[in-house]
Amino acid sequence: MRLDINRNETLPVYMQIANRIKEQILSGILPAGFVLPPERKMADDHAVSRTTVIRAYEELKALGLVASHRGKGTVVTERKVPESHGNDQKVFPLSWYPLFDKKIANVSDTVSELMHAGNHNDVISLAAGIGDPNLYPISTLQQIQRESPLESDQLNLSPVEGLYSLRESISRLMTGRNLSVSAKEVMILAGSMQGIDFAARALLSPGDAVIVEEPTFLQAIQCFRAAGAKIIGIPIDREGIRLDVLEAQLARYKPKFIYTIPAYHNPTGVVMSIERRKGLLDLAYRYQVPILEDDPYGDISFAQEKLPPLKALDPYGYVIYLSTFSKVLFPGLRIGWTIAPEPVMRKFALLKQIADLHVNTPGQFLVDQFLRKGYYEAHLRRTSLDYQKKRDVMAKALTQAKGLIHFEIPDGGFYFWCRIPYQISQKELLALCSDQGVIYTPGNVFYPQESDGEHWLRLNFTYESMDRLERGLSILINAVKKLNKQSSQTDLETGSRPIV
């Protein structure tokens, strides 16, 4: 039994197998009583794991199309037609996948898979995109609630653009980032991810080009892909996006906008130099291309001096600025903001009405009080000090990998961007670490073409406690050493040399 499986399709292989068999059952090609191949044979015939086949068969069982019989195997069930009552007709299970828009079909579910895996207490997560839950300012927020209990107004609807008092507080916060804006120029969002989504929906049509740094934030890639955009990756180095490569692509593709993370870039941790920032703006002006600046990590800095955001250097209104409290406070609030030119803000307000009307009012009120009472800066200093210590622990551990893991030490943010030896399989490393209760984020998900980044991985140093962080790193490093040794032994036995 041969099934057509497309390895380039984003739909999981087990679902492809289940769908192909389902089509044959419903069309009558596979009659009732037909015995499907044993799981192991099906796996061998299609070069997949036995687990993949088991999951496919379980999907079919859930639809009532097959059943397992001891000693016989997995058998196509008899599709019983109910007794006819007038115009009653037979109803088959609805196949949803052909109904989904093709743009959504090309978006992978990497984030959900990582979040699900990281939610188990026994799993040490180096894949997390959040800070340490033990540093959440719970007692301070409880004190604010006691001193300023919620009233009916704070449980009512908020303006689409957000509570004006919170917009005022954020405008004052932005002065610390060398950006002077009024409250009217600030719009509250459900996290900066909503701003990325709004930019995609407001500016992109299927087939449009958008430029991103390569690698870049994986959910931005997913968002632009869902909009049907052509994603053009521009490599970055230690100073940020490569302007020489960028200029050539600007002339060639005429993109709708450039998406960038200048401060403590996700996933690399790179800070764009002031010269690159000015050069990027010059190119944007010359080619008349707007910039979507994502700044979730700018305040989490271990350096003596912070560089101004692109928005602060832009007198001509080319930059749409996004930021969030998800990284500094905690992600469950889902409160971010945008500062953008007035025509863009009008479109974003319209999209906000369509999407969810406004950000939850009690959450806005709570954050506003947190800022107004002066708690933010003290909390930022405390968390930054703790994260710097964890960063140093990770750097020390990775250094002991004896050159097997290459990395740069970040001056802020959440992540180390690491390269492993070329002869080590990412798939094998993921499996070996997962078996020992450690997860990380493979580098390929941060590239528009996921075939890139095979030998890179992103490690978070902020989420886990110090002892769990050290334990997780020890497991990861030992796994790298083990696979590297196995690969070296194979090379000696075969006489082959790794391609680098």
Side-chain angles (χ1 to χ4, degrees):
M1 182 179 188
R2 295 297 300 175
L3 303 174
D4 181 24
I5 296 176
N6 184 356
R7 305 285 177 177
N8 296 321
E9 188 176 338
T10 56
L11 185 66
V13 172
Y14 81 93
M15 285 302 304
Q16 292 188 48
I17 293 173
N19 286 346
R20 305 296 185 268
I21 296 174
K22 180 176 71 174
E23 290 166 3
Q24 294 187 31
I25 293 174
L26 296 181
S27 64
I29 295 174
L30 299 181
F34 180 86
V35 181
L36 297 181
E39 296 153 357
R40 196 172 301 281
K41 185 178 188 309
M42 177 72 87
D44 291 341
D45 289 346
H46 295 84
V48 298
S49 69
R50 182 167 173 264
T51 301
T52 298
V53 178
I54 292 173
R55 293 183 69 183
Y57 284 5
E58 290 297 327
E59 286 289 327
L60 295 169
K61 291 176 187 176
L63 293 173
L65 297 175
V66 301
S68 294
H69 298 281
R70 181 173 297 180
K72 193 172 183 181
T74 304
V75 181
V76 176
T77 58
E78 182 180 354
R79 299 193 305 279
K80 295 181 179 179
V81 181
E83 293 183 11
S84 178
H85 297 283
N87 294 326
D88 286 354
Q89 63 179 7
K90 183 178 181 181
V91 178
F92 293 103
L94 180 62
S95 181
W96 285 98
Y97 287 97
L99 303 177
F100 292 141
D101 189 280
K102 291 180 180 179
K103 300 189 298 295
I104 297 297
N106 290 327
V107 179
S108 64
D109 200 21
T110 305
V111 177
S112 295
E113 292 172 2
L114 290 171
M115 289 178 67
H116 177 73
N119 280 336
H120 298 284
N121 291 331
D122 56 340
V123 172
I124 297 176
S125 177
L126 305 179
I130 58 179
D132 186 348
N134 292 317
L135 295 177
Y136 293 168
I138 304 300
S139 59
T140 303
L141 296 175
Q142 290 172 337
Q143 180 180 336
I144 291 173
Q145 289 177 316
R146 287 193 298 269
E147 294 174 350
S148 307
L150 288 174
E151 299 176 355
S152 58
D153 287 346
Q154 289 132 22
L155 295 173
N156 213 332
L157 295 173
S158 149
V160 172
E161 296 83 1
L163 290 179
Y164 193 79
S165 59
L166 176 57
R167 295 161 68 194
E168 283 182 325
S169 295
I170 289 175
S171 70
R172 287 193 289 270
L173 176 67
M174 295 309 302
T175 60
R177 301 184 190 181
N178 299 309
L179 183 55
S180 177
V181 293
S182 68
K184 292 182 179 180
E185 297 174 89
V186 177
M187 178 178 174
I188 309 301
L189 303 171
S192 58
M193 263 301 304
Q194 188 169 60
I196 297 173
D197 176 55
F198 284 178
R201 288 205 272 164
L203 299 172
L204 294 177
S205 298
D208 285 342
V210 58
I211 281 181
V212 303
E213 293 152 329
E214 191 174 61
T216 193
F217 179 37
L218 66 95
Q219 285 172 286
I221 294 174
Q222 292 179 328
C223 184
F224 303 149
R225 186 169 288 144
K230 181 179 180 63
I231 305 173
I232 311 300
I234 305 296
I236 63 175
D237 58 23
R238 293 181 180 181
E239 291 190 58
I241 192 167
R242 289 271 306 275
L243 299 182
D244 54 340
V245 181
L246 173 62
E247 183 168 11
Q249 303 299 6
L250 286 173
R252 179 179 180 183
Y253 289 104
K254 304 186 186 307
K256 281 297 188 71
F257 61 85
I258 301 166
Y259 172 74
T260 179
I261 310 172
Y264 310 116
H265 179 268
N266 179 11
T268 67
V270 165
V271 176
M272 189 183 296
S273 68
I274 192 68
E275 292 78 13
R276 291 282 175 90
R277 293 177 192 230
K278 292 177 180 178
L280 176 57
L281 286 168
D282 286 343
L283 287 177
Y285 301 152
R286 191 184 315 164
Y287 289 92
Q288 292 194 303
V289 178
I291 296 173
L292 182 61
E293 178 181 16
D294 198 4
D295 187 22
Y297 303 99
D299 275 354
I300 307 170
S301 175
F302 316 138
Q304 293 295 318
E305 185 177 355
K306 298 179 184 178
L307 295 179
L310 291 167
K311 185 67 178 175
L313 302 172
D314 170 35
Y316 302 109
Y318 271 59
V319 177
I320 301 170
Y321 178 83
L322 302 173
S323 194
T324 180
F325 290 113
S326 294
K327 306 302 180 183
V328 178
L329 295 180
F330 45 89
L333 276 175
R334 306 311 304 146
I335 293 181
W337 66 95
T338 184
I339 300 167
E342 194 267 340
V344 176
M345 295 289 264
R346 286 204 304 268
K347 289 295 183 184
F348 278 20
L350 176 61
L351 290 169
K352 186 69 178 170
Q353 293 177 56
I354 297 171
D356 56 6
L357 194 58
H358 63 82
V359 174
N360 79 86
T361 312
Q364 292 187 70
F365 172 76
L366 196 59
V367 172
D368 178 45
Q369 292 298 303
F370 191 86
L371 295 173
R372 286 178 180 272
K373 292 178 181 292
Y375 295 124
Y376 182 83
E377 289 300 328
H379 173 74
L380 182 60
R381 286 192 298 271
R382 184 168 61 254
T383 54
S384 295
L385 181 61
D386 185 87
Y387 293 161
Q388 185 172 1
K389 291 177 181 177
K390 290 184 177 182
R391 178 206 65 174
D392 294 343
V393 166
M394 180 169 282
K396 182 178 179 181
L398 294 175
T399 301
Q400 294 171 355
K402 298 180 180 178
L404 289 177
I405 301 177
H406 299 272
F407 62 93
E408 298 285 340
I409 301 177
D411 286 330
F414 278 13
Y415 312 111
F416 275 69
W417 184 237
C418 305
R419 179 169 59 80
I420 57 176
Y422 286 95
Q423 62 269 26
I424 293 179
S425 163
Q426 180 80 258
K427 184 177 180 180
E428 291 181 3
L429 182 60
L430 271 170
L432 186 55
C433 289
S434 180
D435 287 345
Q436 298 176 76
V438 174
I439 60 172
Y440 64 85
T441 310
N444 61 293
V445 301
F446 299 101
Y447 287 81
Q449 301 296 327
E450 290 195 6
S451 56
D452 298 329
E454 172 66 21
H455 302 290
W456 292 90
L457 47 110
R458 190 194 74 177
L459 304 180
N460 170 285
F461 58 84
T462 61
Y463 175 67
E464 295 286 3
S465 63
M466 201 75 78
D467 61 321
R468 284 172 60 87
L469 180 63
E470 291 177 325
R471 191 159 70 251
L473 287 168
S474 176
I475 291 171
L476 171 68
I477 291 168
N478 287 335
V480 170
K481 290 179 178 178
K482 179 179 180 180
L483 293 175
N484 185 66
K485 184 177 180 180
Q486 289 176 354
S487 177
S488 299
Q489 289 174 342
T490 301
D491 292 341
L492 288 172
E493 292 168 359
T494 62
S496 64
R497 299 177 62 186
I499 298 174
V500 295

